[in-house]
């Protein structure tokens, strides 16, 4: 990975979001020439602003629901590889805004793929979806890439639909055009610099910083938690294999934690409190309505382990410590970009990337 990205032209949608900002900074560290296409940052504060990501790439404000805007920006960027991260990423918000969720997550994906096949020169596309794209049967077995798509709520079903779009574009257009198209499905991604509303770890950080008791909706729900760098490392490895012309990697891929790191929400709360320190208030019971969310969800990552050589490198307990360290240091005045780059370097050394 050290030299694979130097000088590579990359088109990155969603670079103003939490995961996109981490990927933009990692790609910059690798020497890639990045064009970012996204709406303005979805939160205030944001990692994009705190780490001054806009200084490191060609920053284009645009909406993936606008095919002409996506195509114009991609044609100007002349990318060799596209990472599609832009999305409406929140389950609870999807209940309130189903039309926007489907327009963004389904038709937005269509627009990015259509632009990639029309502009010419694109060799690889990696579309980021979610672990929630599967038809969740609430069973103890982890989901494999070949399991059926589904989704109870608008967010999850929109991502299942996006996976169907990706598969159709792969077979109908990309294989014949020589474009390697992969989809990647990660677990519940966590990390420093996430200020999204209605996500567990950002909600905990906000409460701890304010000296308030966090309210917890579903303490027994089990999720495949993983640090953002675990997922991003997998995305980069897939893109590298596609750029080498290895078409066997133009497929769907799971990137999740070790089985023991699929933990209940309550476990995360207690470990975060312990890592934060004595000023972290104990949780309070949730008193509002609780729309349907999956109770049990695990991912089978044996395919990525055996064929790609990818495996988790940062255990969940340590990942939570990294998040606390990120927020403690930046709150004390350390530069957010510096702290983020240091964590990227530490992860790369640990994972051999």
């Amino acid at each position: 990975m050290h030299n694979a990205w130097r000088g590579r032209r990359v088109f990155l949608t969603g670079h103003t979001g939490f995961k996109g900002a981490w990927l933009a900074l990692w790609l910059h560290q690798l020497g890639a020439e990045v064009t970012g296409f996204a709406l303005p940052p979805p939160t205030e504060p944001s990692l994009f602003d705190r780490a001054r990501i806009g200084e490191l790439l060609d920053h284009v404000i645009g909406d993936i629901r606008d095919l002409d805007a996506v195509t114009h920006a991609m044609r100007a960027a002349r990318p060799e590889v596209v990472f599609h991260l832009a999305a409406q990423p929140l389950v609870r918000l999807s209940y309130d805004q189903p039309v926007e969720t489907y327009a963004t997550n389904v038709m937005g994906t269509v627009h990015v793929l259509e632009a990639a096949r029309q502009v010419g020169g694109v060799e690889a596309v990696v579309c980021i979806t979610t672990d929630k794209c599967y038809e969740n049967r609430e069973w103890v077995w982890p989901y494999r890439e070949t399991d059926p798509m589904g989704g109870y709520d608008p967010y999850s079903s929109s991502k299942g639909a996006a996976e169907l779009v990706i598969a159709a574009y792969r077979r109908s257009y990309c294989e014949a055009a020589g474009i390697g198209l992969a989809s990647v499905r990660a677990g519940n991604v966590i990390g420093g610099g996430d200020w999204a509303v209605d996500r567990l770890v950002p909600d905990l950080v906000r409460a701890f910083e304010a000296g308030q008791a966090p309210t917890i909706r579903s303490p027994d729900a089990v999720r495949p938690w993983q640090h953002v760098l675990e997922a991003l490392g997998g995305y980069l490895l897939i893109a590298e294999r596609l750029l080498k012309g290895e078409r066997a990697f133009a497929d769907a891929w799971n990137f999740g934690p070790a089985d023991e790191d699929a933990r209940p929400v309550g476990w995360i709360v207690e470990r975060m409190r312990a890592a934060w320190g004595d000023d972290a208030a104990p949780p309070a019971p949730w008193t509002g309505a609780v729309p349907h969310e999956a109770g049990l969800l695990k991912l089978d990552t044996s395919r990525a382990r055996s064929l790609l050589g990818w495996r988790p490198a940062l255990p969940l307990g340590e990942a939570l410590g990294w998040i606390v360290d990120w927020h403690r240091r930046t709150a004390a005045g350390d530069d957010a970009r510096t702290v983020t780059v240091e964590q990227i370097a530490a992860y790369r050394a640990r994972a051999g990337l």
Side-chain angles (χ1 to χ4, degrees):
M1 188 176 289
H2 294 282
N3 298 314
W5 292 94
R6 187 157 304 281
R8 285 282 189 185
R9 297 186 305 278
V10 178
F11 191 83
L12 169 61
T13 74
H15 67 291
T16 58
F18 158 65
K19 190 188 289 188
W22 274 92
L23 181 54
L25 192 50
W26 193 342
L27 285 166
H28 179 264
Q29 292 298 112
L30 293 171
E33 299 175 4
V34 182
T35 296
F37 182 91
L39 294 172
T43 62
E44 172 55 47
S46 69
L47 178 60
F48 177 81
D49 288 331
R50 290 285 181 91
R52 308 179 307 286
I53 301 296
E55 299 174 359
L56 307 177
L57 44 65
D58 184 5
H59 170 48
V60 180
I61 293 294
D63 192 330
I64 60 169
R65 293 172 294 183
D66 184 339
L67 174 59
D68 289 341
V70 176
T71 304
H72 177 78
M74 196 179 296
R75 183 172 287 118
R78 300 181 302 110
E80 299 161 86
V81 58
V82 174
F83 287 100
H84 175 40
L85 278 71
Q88 193 296 95
L90 301 173
V91 171
R92 279 167 57 83
L93 182 61
S94 77
Y95 281 104
D96 296 330
Q97 300 179 3
V99 174
E100 180 182 68
T101 298
Y102 287 111
T104 301
N105 294 350
V106 183
M107 287 309 299
T109 299
V110 171
H111 294 162
V112 171
L113 295 178
E114 184 65 14
R117 82 180 186 96
Q118 293 289 349
V119 301
V122 176
E123 300 175 32
V125 180
V126 179
C127 291
I128 286 70
T129 62
T130 178
D131 57 341
K132 297 175 183 64
C133 65
Y134 294 105
E135 182 62 36
N136 193 337
R137 294 180 169 84
E138 300 285 349
W139 57 26
V140 296
W141 300 284
Y143 292 93
R144 297 171 297 177
E145 289 88 346
T146 53
D147 284 329
M149 298 293 96
Y152 181 104
D153 56 88
Y155 167 73
S156 301
S157 66
S158 74
K159 287 296 195 173
E163 285 282 357
L164 298 179
V165 166
I166 294 162
Y169 260 79
R170 180 186 300 119
R171 293 189 293 259
S172 300
Y173 307 112
C174 293
E175 289 176 354
I179 300 172
L181 171 58
S183 64
V184 290
R185 307 158 182 174
N188 276 41
V189 171
I190 56 178
D194 188 1
W195 283 279
V197 177
D198 281 330
R199 275 193 192 142
L200 176 62
V201 171
D203 287 347
L204 291 174
V205 170
R206 268 189 294 271
F208 295 160
E209 288 181 334
Q212 299 173 349
T215 53
I216 306 302
R217 286 197 306 271
S218 305
D220 297 324
V222 175
R223 298 286 185 273
W225 312 94
Q226 63 188 145
H227 195 276
V228 61
L229 293 172
E230 299 269 47
L232 297 183
Y235 304 168
L236 289 165
L237 288 174
I238 286 290
E240 288 179 19
R241 303 299 283 268
L242 295 176
L243 286 168
K244 292 177 181 178
E246 299 182 42
R247 297 307 178 209
F249 292 88
D251 207 339
W253 298 86
N254 284 342
F255 294 101
D259 192 56
E260 61 268 21
D261 281 342
R263 295 284 189 171
V265 166
W267 188 95
I268 298 291
V269 174
E270 291 310 309
R271 296 309 188 280
M272 279 288 289
R273 285 189 63 214
W276 193 270
D278 294 338
D279 54 341
W286 183 266
T287 57
V290 182
H292 177 274
E293 293 187 71
L296 178 63
L297 181 60
K298 295 182 179 181
L299 290 177
D300 185 327
T301 62
S302 56
R303 190 160 178 263
R305 292 169 185 252
S306 61
L307 300 181
L308 189 62
W310 175 91
R311 54 189 41 81
L314 186 62
L316 180 56
E318 289 187 62
L320 296 175
W322 283 31
I323 295 168
V324 170
D325 181 66
W326 194 99
H327 282 278
R328 288 289 204 188
R329 288 180 60 188
T330 57
D334 284 5
D335 178 66
R337 185 193 294 176
T338 300
V339 176
T340 308
V341 167
E342 287 177 0
Q343 291 197 345
I344 291 171
Y347 177 79
R348 290 182 63 193
R350 176 177 294 207
L353 300 175

